[in-house]
Amino acid sequence: MRGFASSASRAAAAAAAKPAQTLNPKPLISSGKPTNPIDQRYISQIIQRKDWFLILSHQLTTRRIDLNPRFIISLLQNQENPLHSLRVYLWVSNTNPVHAKDQSLKTVLGSVLFRKGPLLLSKELLKEVRDSGFRITDELMCVLIGSWGKLGLAKYCNDVFAQISFLGMKPSTRLYNAVIDALVKSNSLDLAYLKFHQMRGDGCEPDRFTYNILVHGVCKKGVVDEAVRLVKQMEGEGNRANVFTFTILIDGFLIAGRVEEALKQFETMRRRKMSPNEATVRTLVHGVFRCLPKCEAFEVLLGFMEKESSLQRVVYDTVLCCLSSNSMAKETAMFLRKIGEGGYVPDSSTFNAAMSCLLKGCDLVETCGIFDGFVGRGVKPGFNGYLVVVQALLNAHRFSEGDLYLKQMGVEGLISSVYDYNAVIDCLCKARLTERAAMYLKEMQGRGISPSLVTFNTLLSGYSSRGDVKKVHEVVEMLLEHGCKPDVITFSSIINCLCRAKEIKDAFDCFKEMLEWGIEPNEVTYNILIRSSCSTGDTGRSVKLFAEMKENGLSPDIYAYNAVIQVFCRMRKVKKGEELLKMMLRIGLKPDNYTYSTLIRALSECGRESEAREMFSSMERHGCVPDSYTKRLVEELDLRMSGLSRETVSAS
């Protein structure tokens, strides 16, 4: 577009004139009197040194480090080397007994050791711990063993545990539980049982944790009868089953496909006056949906809900989640109506998931009725909840209804940021309501919300799809006035608009400006220009662009391939067209009916009827179902190959 480069250059110069920020590094240890606490970056630098424990102790005595749990957790998580995280934990846990007992710190350390490990107990590490004056406690050993178990290092867990006496430790029920849990998680159930049977020999009595770990292990394997036996043994030893035991058993029965017995566990819990927790209920609901046909699972759970009225909230939420994730729109609508009449009000995320399911597979009017009903009862769908309904209405060309919901979003203050406005503008542009979208641009500016490059690019996309060159030019001017620097999306939208308006010369001038700006064209830019060149008969340029695109490591889309294949076929270079077809298949791009019909016609016109027939036969092998046009082409081809014409066949 003429004048675009000079206007945009001014914006680029203004952007480049902004002062750069600089970072003034501080010394590792201040030479003067410390007044400000040091930050994580400096502690991380200290942790990497061999004398880390001496320096950290010094910093602590000078009160330059504030060891609150939040700071420690962040420090543990942000170390690249798991050894450094271990050093942090050793230091804080030995410095303050409160931190040594903080379960959240141990959980974070275990997660870090799993994600960035394994961290093994080498001779060098053990020497470092001794030299620091710290020690590996039972609690820390449990964390280390847990990380090895998650990483599948069963043999290593077993070997280390066999030598814990050399670390100054004695076997305990807690350590045994950690090892058995690690072995179960690393899929070494036989070894876990071996450790279980060794416990009493070391003077350690199995507790409820021990049994729950083993029960969980056998239930994962589907050996639920062994789990039941373990529970009986546990209770025979005075360790009463708790809610976690029953949750594990329910999961085990469902893994084994024994739904009735899973449901009976709730009756047992009720007799024992034990309340299921959310995990118990979610385990049941998800398990029933997993092991039964979906409709049957829903019926079973409806019966369960009638008996377990005290669990309504969590059951309703979980059932709705399963219905939505399984795209059971009819059942979701029925269930929402039923539980809504009873006063149930879902949370926003559950409700929005259910609405998404209904919008995909239910009547739109019915869905809007359910939506309005629950909003009237107090559900707050939020911005995203409203927007999906608006999108569905606009796609169905129910513009006035969609507009009502947009107004309601405004009344409730849900459209309040540039991100919200961008989403609304995008929604309207996709529905080809670009003028309405432009009104939201004016509204946001009136409220003092500055539009972003995304805002302008979205509007450009809307106008360019209509080929409205005037409007595109206006939006570009606004974009530059707001100090936004155009990107590849901006240029591609402008080029697309010019091509749709048949202003091909200006489109290629804009393409040149884009390159002058140092902005690399992407697949979209090239595909637009290739299709446009083909449609205007400029075959040489389209082939050149296609080759240039591939040289730049970009992948043409199916429309670009089809356009170039058509060019080659028109030039009677069918072999090159066939080579492009093979290339499409090789890179995993699925040819469509247009691809095949172009090649079939070209082969037929070149007198290569048998190859044209083979091309048709290969369509379904490559997952393309022939449409009516392609079938008609082949029927005519078959008639010619049999030496008959349509008239001959009709006369007969």
Side-chain angles (χ1 to χ4, degrees), residues 393-404 431 433:
L393 288 166
L394 296 182
N395 289 340
H397 297 95
R398 304 173 78 98
F399 302 122
S400 58
E401 294 166 73
D403 202 45
L404 287 174
L433 298 174

Side-chain angles (χ1 to χ4, degrees), residues 33 45 63 71 75-76 128 142 241 265 370 487 527 615:
K33 185 178 179 180
Q45 289 176 355
R63 298 187 177 181
F71 180 83
L75 196 58
L76 288 168
E128 179 182 318
C142 288
Q265 301 308 307
I370 293 172
D487 62 4
N527 287 330
M615 180 70 68

Side-chain angles (χ1 to χ4, degrees), residues 74-276:
S74 182
L75 196 58
L76 288 168
Q77 290 175 328
N78 291 321
Q79 304 304 313
E80 288 300 319
N81 189 331
L83 172 61
H84 299 160
S85 297
L86 179 68
R87 286 174 175 174
V88 170
Y89 182 81
L90 275 168
W91 176 58
V92 299
S93 62
N94 282 274
T95 301
N96 189 331
V98 173
H99 298 319
K101 296 176 182 177
D102 192 331
Q103 185 58 43
S104 65
L105 299 185
K106 287 181 272 194
T107 301
V108 170
L109 177 64
S111 176
V112 169
L113 295 178
F114 167 63
R115 288 186 290 106
K116 299 179 180 179
L119 179 65
L120 305 180
L121 291 180
S122 64
K123 290 180 180 178
E124 293 77 14
L125 175 57
L126 293 174
K127 183 179 184 302
E128 179 182 318
V129 173
R130 282 196 303 271
D131 292 346
S132 70
F134 303 144
R135 69 186 186 89
I136 296 176
T137 61
D138 283 16
E139 289 82 0
L140 179 53
M141 180 57 73
C142 288
V143 174
L144 287 165
I145 289 170
S147 72
W148 300 330
K150 290 178 183 177
L151 291 166
L153 302 176
K155 186 177 183 303
Y156 187 74
C157 288
N158 190 50
D159 291 345
V160 169
F161 185 73
Q163 301 177 61
I164 58 168
S165 59
F166 295 106
L167 299 173
M169 297 180 184
K170 292 181 180 180
S172 65
T173 298
R174 186 171 186 179
L175 281 172
Y176 261 110
N177 286 347
V179 172
I180 292 170
D181 185 48
L183 294 172
V184 166
K185 285 176 178 171
S186 59
N187 207 27
S188 297
L189 197 55
D190 290 343
L191 202 51
Y193 262 87
L194 180 62
K195 289 295 159 195
F196 172 67
H197 291 301
Q198 288 176 355
M199 288 183 71
R200 288 187 172 88
D202 280 331
C204 303
E205 287 296 322
D207 59 11
R208 187 162 53 194
F209 290 103
T210 319
Y211 279 103
N212 277 349
I213 292 165
L214 281 175
V215 169
H216 179 58
V218 293
C219 281
K220 281 200 307 181
K221 295 284 189 181
V223 192
V224 71
D225 291 327
E226 171 61 9
V228 172
R229 187 196 69 77
L230 282 168
V231 172
K232 288 179 180 177
Q233 180 178 326
M234 175 180 75
E235 295 196 315
E237 294 174 2
N239 294 305
R240 193 167 175 79
N242 61 7
V243 65
F244 300 105
T245 316
F246 281 103
T247 302
I248 296 165
L249 280 175
I250 288 166
D251 190 42
F253 279 118
L254 291 169
I255 288 172
R258 293 156 66 172
V259 176
E260 288 298 323
E261 289 166 277
L263 292 168
K264 285 178 182 177
Q265 301 308 307
F266 281 87
E267 297 174 9
T268 304
M269 293 176 76
R270 191 165 52 245
R271 285 198 305 271
R272 295 188 179 196
K273 297 182 180 179
M274 187 184 297
S275 299

Side-chain angles (χ1 to χ4, degrees), residues 42-96:
Y42 296 103
I43 295 181
S44 296
Q45 289 176 355
I46 294 169
I47 286 292
Q48 296 175 35
R49 298 171 58 135
K50 290 185 178 180
D51 55 351
W52 59 272
F53 50 91
L54 295 174
I55 299 174
L56 285 177
S57 297
H58 170 73
Q59 297 296 338
L60 189 63
T61 56
T62 56
R63 298 187 177 181
R64 293 192 66 205
I65 300 176
D66 179 20
L67 289 180
N68 62 75
R70 189 173 178 180
F71 180 83
I72 298 168
I73 287 172
S74 182
L75 196 58
L76 288 168
Q77 290 175 328
N78 291 321
Q79 304 304 313
E80 288 300 319
N81 189 331
L83 172 61
H84 299 160
S85 297
L86 179 68
R87 286 174 175 174
V88 170
Y89 182 81
L90 275 168
W91 176 58
V92 299
S93 62
N94 282 274
T95 301
N96 189 331

